[in-house]
Each structure stands twice: as C-alpha cells, then as structure tokens.
C-alpha cells in the first residue's frame, strides 16, 4: 500500500501485521532495522495543533534515521495564499519521500492524487473524518491487555460526533472482531452514521461491566452550534470519576487520545490512577508510527 489514509483501506491481516511490527519495535526486536529510513526525507505538515501525534511522528522518523522537515505552517507561504497542493508539490520537488499530514478539511485523497509514484502520504488526522494511526495505537494498547477482541465490551464516552479518533478506532475494533461497542454521551454528540454500535445517553447503563473505557474531550473548536448548553450538567452526567468507574468491570482500562481536560471528562484521580493507560497509549504511538513509516510498499 503506497499511502496510509484510512483504516478501511486495509485488511484485518494487514492491520495485524502493522500491530505486530509496532510491538516488535517496542521490544526492540527490530532494532537492527532502525536505520530503515536512511536517505529518506519525511515532511510533517500539521495544519492543526498537535502535541502527541506531531512529536511522535517526528521522533519515529528520527529513530529510523530519516531527514525530518517540520514545516512551520504559521510562518509558511500558506499565509501568503499558497494552496495546500502547491505546498506539497513544492516540497515534493525538494525530494520529500513521505508526507505526514494533519488538516481540518477532507484533503487526503486529493493530496494523494498529486504525489509521484513511491512518494507516500500518511493521514495524521483529517477533520472529523479519520485518524488512523491513533486507531492503531489504541488497538495496540488494548491488545497488550487483552489477547482477543471478540468478547470485549468497549465504552467510548463524550463528544463522539466530532471525534475522528473514535471513527477510526471503531473501524479498527470492528475489523479485529469487537462486537460490543457502546457510544455514550448526550444524544446530539452521538453520530448516527456509524453502524454496529450501541448508543447510550445514560452513563451508568452504558458503562456497566465494560472492559475498556475510552474518554473523549469536548471538541469545542469543531462545534458550529452550541452542543453543550451547561458544562456543569455535562460534567455531572458524563464525567469519569471514582464513582462512575466503579460501574465498569473491575480492572477496566481507561484510555484517552489526549489532550485531556482534567476536571471535565475525567478527574485527576482517574487520569493518574493505575487503571489509566493514557501514557501507555502515548508511548505506543511512537512505535506505531515507526511501523507505519516503514510499512512495505507492495
Ligand atoms: C486527537 C485529535 O487530534 O484528533 N488528539 C490526538 O491526535 N491524540 C483528539 C483531540 O484533539 O481531542
């Protein structure tokens, strides 16, 4: 596969192979391959804010010995009216081999079309549509706790409507056999176009006996209208705290793609608890991105 744009572009076997490769990077079995991108240039183009995704792509490419270009979008010719496609063509002419792109609009397919054969594009977050490398690190984190996805119950709580992470992670979970995925939140923040999931507006009912809890931030920057009229009500109804976590299966893992808003979707106590795997997700992110950057081109 030349590009990495959408979880659904891949088969279950391909997905499992990337996860295995990421796990091998974590265990350093692939340490001898760490110079795999020697002589290659990776360009990180982040048109939206990012800490985890950007830093981990940067580190992953450096660990693989690539030249890494982090374009400073705020001070780039984008501000002089240059289009995204012209920016990409310009950098391609300088010899960039892999583009890592985050953008607020659905631009991935049109960028992929203008790339030369052999030049790769990796989706690092596209509007509300998808964030496939985040999905991989999410399922890798779950896989480290549960060998099998078939019998897992997973709750995704919060602003699912605006979450590209949720969309991609749900696609990956379904591909890996997960049959009990519950989307929990206020009705207007639950997307109606995702199949094979259960909707639940009551947190206590939805979270009952789940193995995995994935919390999401309210993405105010993507809300065109007021989705949450009273933030205090939202906290009262949907916050993960000691009391609400106790309704899940004992030992359930707590995930969050970050950035977390402490005191809103989850309390400090939960974010820093032993059940929280939030920093494990971050750690896995570097290995997943190394695996995607070195995916066979076939
Ligand atoms: C998320 C994103 O940008 O989609 N963050 C991430 O990449 N880890 C989620 C968010 O911004 O809430």
């Amino acid at each position: 596969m030349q590009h990495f744009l959408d979880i659904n572009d891949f088969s279950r076997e391909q997905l499992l192979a990337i996860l295995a490769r990421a796990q091998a990077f974590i265990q350093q079995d692939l340490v001898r391959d760490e110079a795999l991108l020697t002589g290659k240039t990776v360009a990180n183009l982040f048109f939206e804010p990012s800490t985890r995704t950007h830093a981990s792509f940067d580190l992953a490419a450096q660990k693989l010995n690539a030249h890494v270009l982090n374009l400073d979008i705020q001070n780039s010719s984008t501000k002089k009216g240059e289009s995204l496609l012209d920016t990409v063509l310009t950098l391609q002419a300088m010899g960039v081999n892999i583009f890592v792109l985050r953008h607020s609009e659905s631009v991935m397919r049109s960028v992929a079309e203008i790339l030369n054969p052999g030049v790769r594009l990796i989706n690092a977050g596209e509007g509300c549509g998808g964030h496939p490398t985040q999905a991989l690190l999410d399922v890798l984190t779950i896989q480290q706790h549960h060998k099998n996805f078939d019998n897992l119950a997973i709750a995704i709580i919060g602003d699912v409507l605006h979450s590209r992470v949720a969309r991609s992670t749900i696609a990956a979970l379904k591909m890996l056999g997960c049959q009990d995925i519950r989307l929990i939140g206020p009705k207007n923040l639950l997307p109606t176009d995702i199949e094979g999931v259960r909707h639940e507006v009551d947190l206590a009912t939805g979270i009952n006996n789940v193995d995995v809890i994935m919390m999401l931030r309210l993405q105010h920057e993507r809300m065109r209208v007021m989705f949450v009229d009273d933030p205090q009500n939202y906290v009262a109804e949907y916050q993960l705290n000691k009391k609400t976590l106790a309704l899940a299966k004992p030992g359930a893992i707590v995930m969050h793609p970050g950035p977390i808003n402490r005191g809103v979707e989850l309390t400090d106590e939960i974010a820093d608890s032993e059940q929280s795997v939030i920093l494990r997700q971050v750690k896995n992110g570097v290995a997943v991105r190394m695996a995607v950057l070195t995916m066979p081109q076939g």
Side-chain angles (χ1 to χ4, degrees):
M1 189 77 66
Q2 185 178 352
H3 304 301
F4 190 82
L5 305 186
D6 190 323
I7 289 292
N8 289 315
D9 292 343
F10 294 84
S11 67
R12 180 191 157 91
E13 287 62 39
Q14 285 172 317
L15 217 64
L16 287 169
I18 302 175
L19 292 174
R21 193 168 174 73
Q23 189 60 44
F25 274 121
I26 292 169
Q27 281 153 359
Q28 301 222 307
D29 294 348
L30 293 179
V31 79
R32 65 183 180 282
D33 290 342
E34 282 198 1
L36 266 172
L37 293 186
T38 302
K40 303 279 183 205
T41 302
V42 176
N44 290 320
L45 309 188
F46 280 72
F47 286 82
E48 280 191 331
S50 173
T51 297
R52 278 149 286 270
T53 309
H54 191 168
S56 61
F57 267 113
D58 191 351
L59 285 174
Q62 289 190 47
K63 280 170 184 271
L64 293 161
N65 213 27
H67 300 290
V68 187
L69 170 76
N70 289 299
L71 192 71
D72 176 4
I73 300 293
Q74 291 313 314
N75 293 307
S76 71
S77 290
T78 306
K79 299 290 162 198
K80 301 179 188 170
E82 186 169 65
S83 73
L84 169 64
L85 295 185
D86 281 326
T87 302
V88 169
L89 287 173
T90 300
L91 297 175
Q92 178 168 251
M94 291 184 200
V96 168
N97 306 99
I98 304 177
F99 286 93
V100 176
L101 176 63
R102 167 170 289 195
H103 205 281
S104 59
E105 307 292 328
S106 303
V107 294
M108 295 295 160
R109 303 274 172 200
S110 49
V111 171
E113 272 176 25
I114 61 159
L115 295 178
N116 293 335
V119 176
R120 294 196 125 154
L121 175 64
I122 300 174
N123 177 357
E126 182 181 32
C128 295
H131 191 351
T133 59
Q134 177 72 38
L136 288 181
L137 75 88
D138 286 346
V139 293
L140 179 65
T141 308
I142 297 173
Q143 206 183 37
Q144 289 166 346
H145 288 83
H146 300 279
K147 283 274 154 297
N148 216 314
F149 287 80
D150 303 12
N151 298 316
L152 287 184
I154 301 188
I156 303 179
I157 305 170
D159 182 2
V160 190
L161 183 69
H162 298 102
S163 176
R164 55 194 177 202
V165 173
R167 276 180 191 274
S168 291
T169 300
I170 292 166
L173 287 169
K174 287 205 286 199
M175 203 175 278
L176 296 173
C178 186
Q179 291 167 38
D180 185 352
I181 304 173
R182 311 170 192 180
L183 310 186
I184 306 171
K187 200 165 183 289
N188 61 351
L189 288 179
L190 300 181
T192 50
D193 61 336
I194 301 180
E195 283 173 19
V197 293
R198 196 176 111 193
H199 282 195
E200 190 54 70
V201 290
D202 180 54
L203 176 61
T205 312
I207 205 173
N208 180 43
N209 224 17
V210 295
D211 304 275
V212 176
I213 301 165
M214 191 177 297
M215 298 306 298
L216 298 172
R217 163 181 85 86
L218 289 168
Q219 298 205 11
H220 295 289
E221 75 276 22
R222 298 193 202 284
M223 295 183 188
R224 293 201 180 92
V225 293
M226 277 281 280
F227 278 87
V228 175
D229 22 286
D230 184 350
Q232 279 186 339
N233 267 351
Y234 179 83
V235 169
E237 287 182 42
Y238 295 106
Q239 186 184 66
L240 190 68
N241 50 41
K242 230 174 160 179
K243 212 170 113 215
T244 47
L245 178 58
L247 301 167
K249 211 172 258 178
I253 56 168
V254 177
M255 305 175 66
H256 195 309
I260 60 177
N261 288 149
R262 289 171 181 258
V264 183
E265 68 269 18
L266 80 179
T267 57
D268 285 335
E269 200 174 29
I270 300 302
D272 304 327
S273 72
E274 285 203 345
Q275 280 170 262
S276 163
V277 295
I278 297 171
L279 293 177
R280 167 69 81 104
Q281 289 173 269
V282 173
K283 179 180 159 74
N284 287 336
V286 178
V288 157
R289 276 134 195 162
M290 288 174 81
V292 171
L293 285 167
T294 56
M295 210 170 61
Q297 283 255 9

